[in-house]
């Protein structure tokens, strides 16, 4: 009886392996993990591509920072469908954690020129110090990223963004 149950379990697992094409993908994931561990041993800032080689989107990597070039959009709090907020987010991998490195919010409104409608910038706010995280517009994105990225400590923020004299 135990042999039959075990054989049934193996057959069920094999169905998942076949359906998800794990026989083809697992060697890639093993190689990715090995590359990531090796790059972490060599450098304090391994490449994000070692961590997520199949990540889609336009990203640039500069000294451990990942700039997210695609926007996070939401309607303005006023509920006006002709106004929206466009979030530009920059992340940094440090000490095995992902932190907010930079954040910019562009307020946009729907405009029209020669019969063509487009989104035009009306205002721009940049995260210049940690106290801005308490502002509702910055809090909105942080709430959605909770558990994925961390707000840096004051010391870390000041190290990454030294005050200009």
């Amino acid at each position: 009886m135990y042999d039959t149950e075990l054989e049934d379990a193996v057959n069920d697992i094999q169905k998942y392996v076949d359906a998800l094409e794990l026989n083809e993908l697992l060697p890639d994931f093993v190689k990715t993990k090995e590359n990531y561990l090796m790059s972490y041993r060599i450098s304090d800032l391994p490449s994000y591509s070692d961590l997520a080689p199949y990540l889609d989107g336009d990203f640039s990597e500069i000294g451990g920072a990942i700039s997210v070039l695609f926007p996070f959009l939401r309607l303005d709090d006023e509920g006006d469908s002709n106004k929206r907020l466009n979030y530009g987010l920059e992340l940094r991998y440090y000490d095995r954690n992902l932190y907010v490195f930079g954040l910019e919010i562009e307020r946009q409104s729907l405009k029209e020129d020669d019969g063509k409608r487009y989104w035009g910038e009306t205002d721009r706010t940049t995260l210049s110090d940690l106290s801005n995280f308490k502002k509702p517009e910055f809090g909105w994105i942080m709430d959605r990223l909770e558990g994925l990225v961390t707000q840096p400590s004051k010391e870390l923020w000041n190290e990454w963004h030294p005050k200009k004299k």
Side-chain angles (χ1 to χ4, degrees), residues 92 94 99-102 127-133 151-165:
R92 176 167 271 189
Y94 176 78
Y99 292 94
V100 172
F101 178 73
L127 182 66
S128 55
D129 62 54
L130 290 176
S131 65
N132 285 344
F133 274 113
Q151 177 180 323
S153 67
K154 186 175 183 177
E155 294 78 21
L156 203 51
W157 180 266
N158 290 337
E159 181 182 327
W160 290 343
H161 304 281
K163 301 277 188 219
K164 295 177 183 171
K165 295 181 182 180

